[in-house]
Amino acid sequence: MLGKFQVRTDLALEAREICEETGHESIREENGRIRTGIKGQIHGVRVEENADEEREIYTTTVTIETENAAKTMGKPVGTYITLEAPNMSAPDENYHREISEELAKHLNHLISGRKESVLVVGLGNREVTPDALGPDVVNNLQITRHLIREYGRVPDGMEEAGEISAIVPGVMAQTGMETLEIIRGVVEETKPHLVIAIDALAARSTKRLNRTIQITDTGINPGSGVGNHRDAINEETLGVPVIAVGVPTVVDAATIVNDTMEELVAEMDRSRHFQMLGGTLGTLDYAEKQEIIHELISPSLNTMFVTPKDIDETVKYLSYTISEALNITLHNIWK
Amino acid sequence: MLGKFQVRTDLALEAREICEETGHESIREENGRIRTGIKGQIHGVRVEENADEEREIYTTTVTIETENAAKTMGKPVGTYITLEAPNMSAPDENYHREISEELAKHLNHLISGRKESVLVVGLGNREVTPDALGPDVVNNLQITRHLIREYGRVPDGMEEAGEISAIVPGVMAQTGMETLEIIRGVVEETKPHLVIAIDALAARSTKRLNRTIQITDTGINPGSGVGNHRDAINEETLGVPVIAVGVPTVVDAATIVNDTMEELVAEMDRSRHFQMLGGTLGTLDYAEKQEIIHELISPSLNTMFVTPKDIDETVKYLSYTISEALNITLHNIWK
Amino acid sequence: MLGKFQVRTDLALEAREICEETGHESIREENGRIRTGIKGQIHGVRVEENADEEREIYTTTVTIETENAAKTMGKPVGTYITLEAPNMSAPDENYHREISEELAKHLNHLISGRKESVLVVGLGNREVTPDALGPDVVNNLQITRHLIREYGRVPDGMEEAGEISAIVPGVMAQTGMETLEIIRGVVEETKPHLVIAIDALAARSTKRLNRTIQITDTGINPGSGVGNHRDAINEETLGVPVIAVGVPTVVDAATIVNDTMEELVAEMDRSRHFQMLGGTLGTLDYAEKQEIIHELISPSLNTMFVTPKDIDETVKYLSYTISEALNITLHNIWK
Amino acid sequence: MLGKFQVRTDLALEAREICEETGHESIREENGRIRTGIKGQIHGVRVEENADEEREIYTTTVTIETENAAKTMGKPVGTYITLEAPNMSAPDENYHREISEELAKHLNHLISGRKESVLVVGLGNREVTPDALGPDVVNNLQITRHLIREYGRVPDGMEEAGEISAIVPGVMAQTGMETLEIIRGVVEETKPHLVIAIDALAARSTKRLNRTIQITDTGINPGSGVGNHRDAINEETLGVPVIAVGVPTVVDAATIVNDTMEELVAEMDRSRHFQMLGGTLGTLDYAEKQEIIHELISPSLNTMFVTPKDIDETVKYLSYTISEALNITLHNIWK
């Protein structure tokens, strides 16, 4: 869709923006704005937005309804709920609690009652800070499967607890195995009703890093954000429904360079410095510009990622927020 | 075998000593020595000892040959090789290399050619220092399965490399699952020819802590050393041969107390302080003494373990020594 | 005071019990109870107890008022506040919050206004689970000194925030330096008004492990619990007041063996099995019994500690509870 | 020197390249090559190169001899030795050993005998993978100061050992203190003869990441690579000589974007697409181009860094290589 140079994003929100932009370039230029999410209409994609201005939590639900729309968006048919909150990674415990509860509400909706036995999978590499989100979430979960199996649901407050199990499969460089192989083995052995996979995602732009949580009932492609090809983790491959919870914590280095350069080219078309050129640059079409840009990007950038310098604190707060949301949903501990 | 109070040991070496002692109490007392490994003969148990005095590496091979002997020893039929080296956890890199090579030699013998595809399992809890041995060993392994599957054995030095994969399953409190369930799932999915399980063991006495490595072709019971019941991990439960490599890093707290108290009771039977008692204590039999001791041991001790204060350094050196041995054996990197 | 075999405890509460017991042995035997904290009176030691039965939080304030009492107790003149709560290390977030607030109240009292600039020191070895309490507490603190120095106390909610700095000095095997040397250097360079030192302690019995928090205005001896001699960290050595917060997370292995054996000897004096001995054991005095016991304890036990198997979870909850208490006190975030 | 937009580099090697490039722009264009390290001559800078082709280790020694040259280079007067080895972060233990020995040789030369008591400082944030190099190096050092102080240099092989101490001060967000404050305090308290500071650096281009080690006798500015201003750590601020060992593990995100865009602009001046423009772009001077680029770079990029996806493995190998070099040098363990 984006030509030879594939800009990756794990966020349906961004996929939609990209589709709209590239499909409606004239509209973009009339407004003189670039890549700011002007709404177009993609057939088969339903979008609902909700802004809680007071608490600064913005929710977007993207529903991909048809296979055609799925093809256009590069994402499978399903529901993608995105929570955005500018202060999500600030050190404010009460605010994290509010986000946890909002997240729990949406999770509960997607789970729709299949809580009886749930396997939570913490994807990613615990040795690489921005990729440790999944393992860190698992670290703070209340694991109950073994207790319920041994003692039943008798103890106070356990009456409604789900049978929660969890695994941190590691990444291929550590295990020599596809993540899917490990999870499929565990699922076949322990037969959960539902899998919830937590993963650090790659965003397309830095503006969504560490302030966005995406929940989807379509599962995810682990590591798709960091360029390693692995098989999908979804109902088709596992045989049970898979809900994915992801937070963009990195941007591909090539993506950032690409984006800034696209802006440079666009700017040159317009800028005072280039007025005298009579818009000559405009004679190049989108694909030609992309080609120049792509040639200039060092191949080594494809093995690199970009992440904020305070990623340690950020991942700590985010993982805590998500594990709280899971604890609330799975154990029915609502306020 | 030891009466109501079960003194646990994961070491065949110690199991043999205990059997001999309790079965030959009279011999023991004639010699006036207690628990010093006087050799008796258990039918169906073959013992070979080898002392490399120069390098201070002592090897004992205990072979349990019959089901009867297995019952007596409390360990399945099979081969148990124990390496003892007093300086095993000292910070001497060259010495570690020598032990790695000695260990690799024995491993190679037990593996007997089934190296083509091996799953290494790092048992234990990476969050608890003396239990992190297994996870730490996996951390330093050369994992090759994904590389060989993608690129073949072409690159230099890879011609003889095995397809090595590895997993750190975690412990039940973290996963809610039996370790066996996870490993069985992974084994069924990835079909290795051999499993090698690495685990921290519980010894019966502090004198073997962190200076003993046991290799066996019978598999192991993970966590048996720390009192959590879990199913065996062996050829019967997994369907492929299982070699276990273990190092005693803890002793059960109850065991240490029990042992010292047994010595106290024995001492009282003999001591100058109690001569006047006319050996009255001697009128109590072994079981009666055990009962008194058992009553006095706080039940809370059963949830406790004893470990050296420098366990962090020790586990670092030991895990490095074992992962080197595995790298040598599995990738055929002999000097 | 305890004869040749020094039983160590970092808890004033236990020091008092020991003093009372050994000083009032007859009282103990009349009651037929051993080591259960019967109150005697040590001159110069004031004790106040408070039981919050509903929330199950028990507070004991031991004030050592005279140098003589300090000598008897083996602890310097000062105030020692102990919070005991049986469920302190259970996974109940609301309960932890209550303990944090209770702790904050006492801390606030001891700090008595010297909050303007505080250096928090996380003592212990982050590589050894039960010793990682101090480093873990520092990990969750809100550090503000650098922010206030750069931006002032302007941002919302910062008006009353203290200038908080923190350091994790490591242990001597990692640094080659006395902990005191490092802290003294940092104190001289940064001139805080107050030092708060957090440390894992050694208790005398397992019954107080992980359910007791001691706060004192006398500072502490880091590592005294695990047998490494290092200099005191207190107002005398640092030049600024030092508040110490400690939780017993280990018991010395030798202590546990010693205690159980003492009970065995006492039991023998009384037990039905020994009635016929006419109390002959009673002819041995305390020191003679201690000597027998001491001879039987393996010297290797002095380099060992005892800790619960679930110490990873426990230290996680405890460190979180303490860092919350510090955040509340130092930043004046009361509900 | 580089105009409003300051491109940072911690490597003297790169500083020299930049100076030469910007100072000799005409030369550059004649050759039709950009930023490829064509050698010019900066007065007061002496450069020596050594290529060990067989082992693929390339050594460059840059000596800045005058204050004027220091000003031009943006680096203090002193010696900067750079080792480059393409396979430095590959998993080849023997090769690491060779690099360790090469590094040890250079270190030994710079240290010039002041080994009697050395404080090693592991700068950086152990919670952020590419910044954990310094803390990881300290983790593998043989610390001896406390042993020598207690037992002397008596044990075998210790006769020539230095009194080595070490500290991991943490970063300002964790401590609230300048790193310099902590180190200065420790130096004043423990009086080492020499400080060796280990740090992860920021390079200017991805091509030097994780394959370059720089040693200098001028000390370093910790965190200069990641944009946090802190005071220099050198003989002037500490009162003892400071040797710095650094490895570039990250590139500033803004730098990568800037560089690629500069290439785009240069390319446009030349490219077939722009021939018709008659070199109009050429009418903009260097500063004007820089300004356009700078405006387009998102300010958020200044808080981001770029690092390879396999940074966990890489930092493990590099830190091991450096700590081995230090162990060899400081304890005189030459082959």
Side-chain angles (χ1 to χ4, degrees), chain A residues 97-146:
Chain A
R97 176 80 194 176
E98 285 180 25
I99 298 176
S100 291
E101 281 168 4
E102 188 71 19
L103 189 57
K105 222 177 60 191
H106 292 295
L107 269 170
N108 206 44
H109 175 70
L110 281 190
I111 288 173
S112 65
R114 294 164 302 195
K115 296 186 202 183
E116 212 179 314
S117 80
V118 178
L119 172 66
V120 180
V121 180
L123 296 166
N125 183 349
R126 68 166 88 228
E127 307 289 334
V128 177
T129 319
D131 206 23
L133 182 83
D136 284 0
V137 166
V138 163
N139 235 21
N140 287 311
L141 279 186
Q142 288 173 31
I143 303 300
T144 54
R145 181 176 177 269
H146 59 307

Side-chain angles (χ1 to χ4, degrees), chain A residues 1 12-24 38-47 62-66 68-74:
Chain A
M1 181 181 42
L13 210 64
E14 290 186 338
R16 188 181 59 112
E17 284 172 13
I18 297 165
C19 293
E20 287 168 8
E21 282 162 27
T22 51
H24 299 267
I38 300 144
K39 264 163 241 160
Q41 283 268 326
I42 303 164
H43 198 73
V45 176
R46 197 151 43 79
V47 179
V62 175
T63 316
I64 302 182
E65 294 174 319
T66 64
N68 256 345
K71 219 169 139 189
T72 311
M73 293 278 287

Side-chain angles (χ1 to χ4, degrees), chain C residues 119 126-127 139 143 145-146 164-167 172-177 181-182 184-186 188-190, chain D residues 119 126-127 139 143 145-146 165-168 172-178 181-182 184-186 188-190:
Chain C
L119 173 66
R126 67 167 88 228
E127 307 289 334
N139 234 22
I143 302 300
R145 181 176 178 268
H146 59 306
I164 309 309
S165 56
I167 192 156
M172 203 155 65
Q174 295 166 336
T175 66
M177 299 179 275
E181 292 178 296
I182 298 170
R184 193 157 52 196
V186 172
E188 274 166 20
E189 200 66 29
T190 64
Chain D
L119 172 66
R126 67 166 89 226
E127 306 289 335
N139 235 24
I143 303 299
R145 181 177 178 268
H146 59 305
S165 56
I167 193 156
V168 174
M172 203 156 64
Q174 294 167 335
T175 66
M177 299 179 278
E178 299 281 344
E181 291 178 296
I182 298 170
R184 194 157 51 196
V186 171
E188 275 166 19
E189 200 66 28
T190 64

Side-chain angles (χ1 to χ4, degrees), chain A residues 119 126-127 139 143 145-146 164-167 172-177 181-182 184-186 188-190, chain B residues 119 126-127 139 143 145-146 165-167 172-178 181-182 184-186 188-190:
Chain A
L119 172 66
R126 68 166 88 228
E127 307 289 334
N139 235 21
I143 303 300
R145 181 176 177 269
H146 59 307
I164 309 308
S165 57
I167 193 157
M172 203 154 65
Q174 294 167 336
T175 66
M177 300 180 276
E181 292 179 295
I182 298 170
R184 194 156 53 196
V186 172
E188 274 166 19
E189 200 67 28
T190 64
Chain B
L119 172 66
R126 68 165 88 228
E127 307 289 333
N139 234 23
I143 303 300
R145 181 176 178 268
H146 59 304
S165 56
I167 192 157
M172 204 156 63
Q174 294 167 336
T175 66
M177 300 180 277
E178 300 280 347
E181 293 178 296
I182 298 170
R184 192 156 55 196
V186 171
E188 276 167 18
E189 199 68 27
T190 64

Side-chain angles (χ1 to χ4, degrees), chain B residues 1-9 15 18-19 21-23 204 258 262 286-287 290:
Chain B
M1 180 182 43
L2 284 171
K4 285 196 289 189
F5 183 78
Q6 174 72 46
V7 173
R8 271 187 302 259
T9 175
I18 298 165
C19 293
E21 282 161 27
T22 52
R204 192 171 174 243
N258 180 75
E262 281 192 10
Y286 186 76
Q290 282 282 332

